[in-house]
Amino acid sequence: MILIFKTNISCPVAADKILQLVKQQQVTACTIDLEDCDKVLRVVGEIPKDTVVDCVAQMGYECEEL
């Protein structure tokens, strides 16, 4: 399953921390496109969308599914 989210992540350091947090779940791959206007987070794997939103929120950022 591929999940795509719009975020407000703009800091590369924060993006790396969020990716590490998400990768601790059951994911095959995940990326954040900081150059996209929507700061798109793509997650591949068997993970509930609420879990991804919670991981991003833990770091103080917003995340909504596209």
Side-chain angles (χ1 to χ4, degrees), residues 8 55-62:
N8 66 340
C55 286
V56 174
Q58 275 183 335
M59 298 296 296
Y61 291 92
E62 298 173 8

Side-chain angles (χ1 to χ4, degrees), residues 3 14-15 18 20-22 27 30-31 43 46-48 55-57 59 61 64:
L3 300 172
I18 290 168
Q20 289 175 8
L21 191 59
V22 172
V27 300
C30 60
T31 61
V43 180
E46 298 303 317
I47 181 173
C55 286
V56 174
M59 298 296 296
Y61 291 92
E64 66 181 74

Side-chain angles (χ1 to χ4, degrees), residues 29-65:
C30 60
T31 61
I32 300 174
D33 185 352
L34 295 178
E35 294 183 16
D36 186 278
C37 64
D38 288 330
K39 311 301 186 207
V40 173
L41 167 62
R42 290 178 184 84
V43 180
V44 179
E46 298 303 317
I47 181 173
K49 66 181 176 180
D50 292 338
T51 302
V52 176
V53 172
D54 290 343
C55 286
V56 174
Q58 275 183 335
M59 298 296 296
Y61 291 92
E62 298 173 8
C63 179
E64 66 181 74
E65 187 174 26

